[in-house]
Amino acid sequence: MLQRRHLLAAPTLLLARPARAADWPDRPLAMIVAFAPGGGTDAAARTIARFLERDLGQPVVVNNRPGAGGEIGFGELARAKPDGLTIGFINTPHIVTLPIERRTRFRLEDFTPIANIVDDPGAFYVLTDSPYRSLADLIAAARARPETISYGSTGIGSDDHLAVLAFERQAGIRLLHIPYAGSAQVKQALIGKTIELASMNVAEGVQESRQGLLRMLAQMGERRTEVAPEIPTFREAGFDVVEGSMRGLAAPAGLPPAVLQRLSLAVDRVVQDPEFQMSAIQQALPLRFLGPEAYLAELTALRARYQALWSTHPWRE
């Protein structure tokens, strides 16, 4: 009898969900960004927020919560009420590497992936007046001055950091790591000559490269990116370094399916909007839309990859 009552009740619940979702959202949304203002994640978040407002009919307020390599912002998102009114940008590999390297207040299962939006390969940047004009120049200098050439990243376990560690292993060199709260701070440190090398994503320095302020030595995609097709890959230089950062939206675990569908469709429509695509081109943001299921599958596969890497080459400093 209990099973029969459950089966009879189920259609009522299913019918009730669309009615509630039809009125959603009835209040402004908060979008948590786990990195400092001015970086690539922040720029992408503010752009997508502006377009989502049109689709959802409510303001989308970006709240920056930087610190601890993204852990502060990700933890706040994981603990939020799963009503769809608090969403956030999640970045790879931070979202899966942080719980691997230390005890955190979140894990991947604490989130409902909504949609991936950007897939931005990593790159090495120097100032245009730097003596390093290629990876070979950098390697020669690092061998002559071990652990003295400083580089900035967005934190321990970030894609920027893991890329340098892989490059160091393959090139047989050691650099001096200085972590920052976001790519904007890394770029400022490079321009201010606090560091000699910046490991950050292509989109985070390509504008300054085009303006002649920075030089991109190489980029970490499997193939040359359309954003900077003239820049060779690390593989072309003989180093199997493929890294980057996927940036997408997620909500706390337990998000109602109807709200998830509404949000994912809204993001899909935004990504297909010609005006948004033009804005992405202007910001050099490489777009890669993934719906909830494909996004979760990609994140799960990445976690397995980095877990295997941690078992052989832990990146704790």
Side-chain angles (χ1 to χ4, degrees):
M1 291 299 293
L2 287 174
Q3 184 178 11
R4 181 178 177 82
R5 285 198 296 269
H6 173 73
L7 292 173
L8 288 173
T12 304
L13 292 173
L14 292 173
L15 287 172
R17 282 177 182 154
R20 291 196 299 270
D23 299 326
W24 186 95
D26 58 354
R27 285 173 286 164
L29 282 73
M31 180 186 289
I32 296 173
V33 174
F35 296 92
T41 300
D42 182 66
R46 292 181 186 279
T47 301
I48 196 75
R50 178 162 52 89
F51 283 85
L52 275 178
E53 289 179 340
R54 301 180 189 178
D55 193 283
L56 298 175
Q58 289 288 344
V60 179
V61 181
V62 175
N63 297 322
N64 295 90
R65 297 290 188 267
E71 182 178 353
I72 292 175
F74 297 151
E76 183 174 331
L77 177 62
R79 296 188 299 272
K81 185 177 180 181
D83 56 7
L85 296 176
T86 300
I87 58 177
F89 255 67
I90 58 173
N91 304 56
T92 64
H94 309 69
I95 197 69
V96 294
T97 57
L98 290 175
I100 291 173
E101 69 186 48
R102 62 179 183 261
R103 179 172 294 184
T104 58
R105 295 185 178 183
F106 69 88
R107 55 179 185 157
L108 187 57
E109 287 76 11
D110 293 326
F111 302 97
T112 300
I114 297 169
N116 187 67
I117 301 165
V118 172
D119 196 348
D120 194 2
F124 278 2
Y125 283 96
V126 296
L127 292 174
T128 51
D129 63 359
S130 168
Y132 316 133
R133 304 191 65 85
S134 66
L135 293 180
D137 291 341
L138 177 64
I139 292 169
R143 286 175 177 168
R145 298 187 287 122
E147 298 186 67
T148 61
I149 297 176
S150 57
Y151 76 92
S153 82
T154 54
I156 296 172
S158 65
D159 57 310
D160 321 310
H161 180 222
L162 295 179
V164 176
L165 293 182
F167 178 65
E168 287 178 325
R169 288 194 298 270
Q170 294 179 38
I173 60 173
R174 290 296 301 272
L175 304 173
L176 177 62
H177 183 209
I178 301 178
Y180 291 87
S183 61
Q185 287 72 29
V186 175
K187 187 161 51 179
Q188 289 167 5
L190 180 62
I191 293 171
K193 299 189 176 183
T194 302
I195 56 176
E196 295 182 67
L197 174 72
S199 179
M200 55 189 182
N201 298 116
V202 168
E204 293 167 337
V206 71
Q207 302 293 0
E208 290 80 4
S209 180
R210 291 169 179 170
Q211 294 164 6
L213 181 61
L214 302 181
R215 178 189 301 127
M216 197 187 315
L217 297 182
Q219 58 92 12
M220 304 170 194
E222 293 185 358
R223 60 191 64 83
R224 295 193 183 197
T225 174
E226 294 180 1
V227 172
E230 74 282 5
I231 304 300
T233 65
F234 274 67
R235 282 182 169 176
E236 288 178 69
F239 302 97
D240 189 20
V241 178
V242 177
E243 275 292 352
S245 179
M246 294 174 62
R247 303 172 198 147
L249 287 174
L255 187 69
V259 175
L260 172 60
Q261 183 181 35
R262 175 77 175 91
L263 281 167
S264 181
L265 288 175
V267 175
D268 192 8
R269 284 193 291 264
V270 167
V271 172
Q272 295 184 48
D273 186 322
E275 185 182 348
F276 174 79
Q277 292 179 357
M278 181 58 65
S279 181
I281 290 172
Q282 292 170 352
Q283 296 180 55
L285 294 175
L287 299 178
R288 182 191 177 199
F289 176 84
L290 293 175
E293 292 184 2
Y295 191 19
L296 177 59
E298 186 89 4
L299 292 171
T300 302
L302 280 173
R303 178 169 62 179
R305 171 191 162 193
Y306 288 117
Q307 185 67 66
L309 178 63
W310 176 262
S311 66
T312 56
H313 297 288
W315 52 82
R316 184 186 297 114
E317 290 190 337

